[in-house]
Amino acid sequence: MTQSTSQGGARDAQPHPLLDEWMRLTREGLAASQACCARHALVWHVRALRAANQLLASGETDVCDDDRIAAFIVAHLNIADCYADMDDPHSAAECLICAHHKLMALLHGDEISESLQIAASRHLQQTYAALCEHRAAHGAHSLIDKALSECRAHMPQPGALLH
């Protein structure tokens, strides 16, 4: 069996069963979204989020930290899309903010591994972009504005020199 090493530990070529379940649920949700069934898609994406939460909380060493964080973020983005498709931008905003706050908590957690903090840092741009897109599409929202401000404080400034 081939093994590859990535940040967060070694991982076999075969995916973890919980990660497989998350992928299956996500595919079902995306299929429902493509069929214009936002409510049905929401059910699948909420199930996928449960699997992602289990992956993130379990500290699985055979699933790399990037995959654990990505599953969590993608599930939130998909749920937010469902809410937006159902003309519920407030719930979509809450979902995006929840994902953002979790990344921020991981970045600043004292008991969080360095590899998980690095993965959270890499995915922060995804939540930042989603928050910006939501604001552009649905207008100002005080909690989104606050989350964007917090996020900007943790992102490198353009043209900044790294030493």
Side-chain angles (χ1 to χ4, degrees):
M1 191 180 305
T2 307
Q3 287 202 348
S4 64
T5 302
S6 56
Q7 291 196 348
R11 179 173 59 153
D12 288 337
Q14 292 186 335
H16 186 275
L18 196 51
L19 188 58
D20 275 347
E21 178 69 359
W22 173 82
M23 286 190 260
R24 184 187 69 76
L25 295 167
T26 298
R27 279 190 220 109
E28 293 288 345
L30 293 173
S33 290
Q34 289 175 345
C36 298
C37 298
R39 290 189 191 285
H40 188 71
L42 181 62
V43 171
W44 288 108
H45 291 309
V46 167
R47 290 177 184 167
L49 178 58
R50 281 192 212 119
N53 279 325
Q54 288 177 330
L55 274 171
L56 197 54
S58 70
E60 290 287 344
T61 57
D62 56 342
V63 178
C64 77
D65 290 338
D66 260 348
D67 288 348
R68 294 168 55 216
I69 296 282
F72 180 81
I73 297 303
V74 168
H76 276 85
L77 296 177
N78 288 337
I79 291 169
D81 286 346
C82 288
Y83 281 127
D85 289 345
M86 295 186 301
D87 293 323
D88 187 353
H90 181 74
S91 293
E94 287 178 341
C95 191
L96 295 173
I97 291 165
C98 176
H100 169 76
H101 283 289
K102 179 64 174 181
L103 287 181
M104 296 299 285
L106 290 171
L107 281 171
H108 300 293
D110 292 335
E111 312 246 338
I112 305 300
S113 71
E114 182 181 0
S115 65
L116 192 58
Q117 287 179 327
I118 290 168
S121 177
R122 275 196 293 267
H123 289 278
L124 193 60
Q125 289 191 1
Q126 284 180 288
T127 57
Y128 182 82
L131 290 166
C132 288
E133 288 173 13
H134 184 84
R135 189 176 195 282
H138 302 286
H141 187 287
S142 61
L143 294 176
I144 292 237
D145 293 342
K146 181 179 177 189
L148 287 171
S149 293
E150 291 170 356
C151 196
R152 281 187 208 107
H154 295 282
M155 297 175 79
Q157 297 299 314
L161 294 175
L162 301 176
H163 297 276

